[in-house]
């Protein structure tokens, strides 16, 4: 059974195929020629956390490909509480053709996938956000015409979005730099697993955002306090202050640099309003690409292309 739980196990060739198909699906959509590749397919979506982009782009994408989605708030299902994840997975597999899960713990996704007989897609966990990373790659490729050897500098927290992007960059022969405060870098264990999966992955960590962006093609940031970390907000606001992506930091980067942010953004915290709204920003193109990147993932998993 194929799943899309994180990018680590997937070969570069698959990511390449997904990106090519995402570009094809984007063109088809813009021409009003969405294929009917999910005709008769039903996708169950269980979200334990809030969402705009992931929920709506999945629901819209499934509908545009001729399928149907059923959205169920996490509070309704109470994953792992009302009944075991194994019982949930085996029951749901008989009703739907695929599952999208947004969860507090990556283990929830992994455990459901062990018992599901339909594909499971991770729509964000505490550890990873693989669908976001696919839309990020699509956007970077649109900006530069290629991914090869491009340098992505993630400024901020070594979080779920950063981890998936680092894996994506490693797989696609790109350079990834994480500029994070001490204590918020990637875990040793994550870097170890990545080096096993990707030979010569070009991943660098630093505590100096100014030095990091010197040769950046892309500067990427995300919120300092992710969903589930609200109790740490005050301390994080202080710790991350020198890591704001603002006009001063942008002035240290090459002229051609592009700004990405997975959104939602906290203007005045991780990014200044001027940079988010400025000419280097492609954040809404990036948000739009969630639709197309996920359609490619759905076609791959649910029997289309
Ligand atoms: N970027 C992203 O996943 O947005 P949502 O939390 O709104 O889905
Ligand atoms: N790192 C953020 C991403 C939101 C899309 C979070 O997990 O809340």
């Amino acid at each position: 059974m194929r799943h899309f739980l994180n990018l680590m196990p997937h070969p570069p060739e698959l990511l390449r195929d997904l990106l090519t198909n995402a570009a094809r699906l984007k063109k088809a959509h813009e021409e009003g020629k969405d294929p009917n590749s999910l005709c008769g397919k039903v996708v169950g979506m269980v979200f334990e956390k809030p969402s705009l982009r992931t929920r709506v782009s999945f629901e819209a994408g499934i509908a545009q490909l001729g399928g149907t989605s059923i959205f169920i708030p996490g509070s309704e299902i109470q994953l792992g509480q009302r009944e075991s994840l194994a019982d949930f997975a085996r029951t749901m597999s008989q009703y739907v053709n695929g599952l999208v899960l947004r969860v507090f713990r990556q283990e929830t996704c992994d455990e459901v996938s062990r018992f599901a007989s339909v594909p499971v897609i991770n729509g964000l966990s505490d550890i990873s956000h693989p669908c976001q990373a696919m839309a990020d790659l699509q956007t970077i490729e649109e900006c530069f015409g290629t991914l090869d050897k491009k340098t992505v500098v993630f400024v901020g927290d070594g979080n779920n979005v950063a981890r998936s992007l680092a894996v994506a960059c490693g797989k696609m022969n790109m350079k990834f730099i994480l500029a994070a405060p001490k204590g918020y870098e990637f875990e040793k264990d994550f870097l170890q697993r990545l080096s096993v999966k990707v030979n010569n992955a070009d991943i660098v960590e630093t505590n100096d955002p100014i030095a990091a962006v010197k040769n950046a093609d892309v500067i990427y940031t995300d919120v300092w306090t992710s969903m589930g970390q609200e109790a740490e907000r005050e301390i994080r606001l202080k710790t991350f202050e020198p890591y704001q992506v603002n006009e001063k930091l942008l002035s240290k980067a090459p002229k051609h640099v592009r700004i990405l942010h997975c959104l939602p953004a906290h203007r005045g915290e991780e990014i200044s309003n001027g940079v988010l709204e400025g000419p280097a920003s492609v954040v809404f193109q990036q948000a739009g690409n969630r639709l197309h990147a996920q359609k490619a993932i759905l076609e791959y998993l649910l029997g289309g292309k």
Side-chain angles (χ1 to χ4, degrees):
M1 179 52 55
R2 294 166 166 180
H3 300 292
F4 205 75
L5 305 173
N6 69 72
L7 295 180
M8 203 73 99
H10 297 300
E13 295 74 25
L14 173 66
L15 303 194
R16 181 64 266 156
D17 285 352
L18 289 173
L19 289 170
T20 303
N21 200 29
R24 185 188 66 82
L25 286 161
K26 182 170 183 172
K27 186 161 181 286
H29 182 66
E30 286 168 355
E31 291 170 353
K33 294 179 187 158
D34 283 306
N36 219 17
S37 44
L38 293 191
C39 182
K41 300 284 165 76
V42 180
V43 179
M45 306 199 1
V46 182
F47 280 37
E48 294 182 332
K49 298 175 178 179
S51 172
L52 167 64
R53 279 144 290 272
T54 309
R55 174 180 177 173
V56 179
S57 57
F58 263 111
E59 290 199 31
I62 291 162
Q64 288 160 9
L65 297 179
T68 308
S69 56
I70 302 174
F71 183 85
I72 314 151
S75 56
E76 175 82 12
I77 300 238
Q78 298 167 29
L79 280 171
Q81 291 172 29
R82 189 159 178 266
E83 59 194 306
S84 73
L85 294 173
D87 291 358
F88 161 78
R90 287 174 295 178
T91 304
M92 282 296 276
S93 294
Q94 302 187 61
Y95 304 146
V96 299
N97 304 98
L99 285 165
V100 181
L101 304 181
R102 170 165 284 207
V103 293
F104 281 103
R105 297 171 61 250
Q106 174 83 32
E107 292 81 9
T108 302
C109 251
D110 297 346
E111 176 84 351
V112 169
S113 75
R114 273 193 284 282
F115 291 94
S117 52
V118 297
V120 179
I121 300 172
N122 173 4
L124 181 144
S125 75
D126 54 341
I127 300 297
S128 61
H129 199 0
C131 297
Q132 178 71 53
M134 293 310 296
D136 299 341
L137 290 182
Q138 184 177 4
T139 309
I140 296 168
E141 191 165 57
E142 287 174 349
C143 289
F144 299 106
T146 180
L147 295 173
D148 200 45
K149 302 210 166 56
K150 292 296 164 202
T151 298
V152 175
V153 181
F154 190 102
V155 181
D157 187 16
N159 65 12
N160 45 7
V161 170
R163 280 190 212 91
S164 288
L165 189 60
V167 178
C169 289
K171 301 233 173 209
M172 301 314 281
N173 197 30
M174 300 160 75
K175 184 180 177 83
F176 183 90
I177 302 176
L178 173 66
K182 280 202 170 43
Y184 294 91
E185 302 103 332
F186 292 140
E187 305 78 8
K188 294 244 155 9
D189 157 65
F190 167 76
L191 290 171
Q192 170 70 24
R193 279 184 293 122
L194 182 55
S195 70
V196 170
K197 287 285 175 194
V198 186
N199 275 340
N200 308 316
D202 197 350
I203 313 280
V204 173
E205 292 181 302
T206 173
N207 305 124
D208 181 351
I210 292 181
V213 301
K214 190 165 173 257
N215 294 312
D217 296 301
V218 170
I219 299 175
Y220 198 122
T221 191
D222 180 19
V223 292
W224 293 336
T225 306
S226 286
M227 293 180 279
Q229 298 173 332
E230 289 76 9
E232 300 170 25
R233 182 169 153 77
E234 288 313 311
I235 176 106
R236 282 173 171 268
L237 275 178
K238 276 205 188 67
T239 311
F240 282 95
E241 211 180 291
Y243 292 81
Q244 186 186 70
V245 174
N246 53 28
E247 286 75 358
K248 187 168 169 229
L249 188 68
L250 193 58
S251 74
K252 308 290 180 195
K255 290 263 173 298
H256 69 262
V257 77
R258 289 284 172 273
I259 302 296
L260 274 77
H261 188 311
C262 58
L263 303 179
H266 292 157
R267 289 169 167 83
E269 291 185 21
E270 76 276 3
I271 192 163
S272 68
N273 186 57
V275 170
L276 192 81
E277 299 291 350
S281 171
V282 291
V283 301
F284 293 105
Q285 178 182 341
Q286 178 189 6
N289 281 337
R290 295 293 303 278
L291 180 71
H292 314 296
Q294 286 159 196
K295 280 178 172 172
I297 296 167
L298 287 163
E299 284 202 342
Y300 161 67
L301 294 172
L302 298 190
K305 277 219 162 181

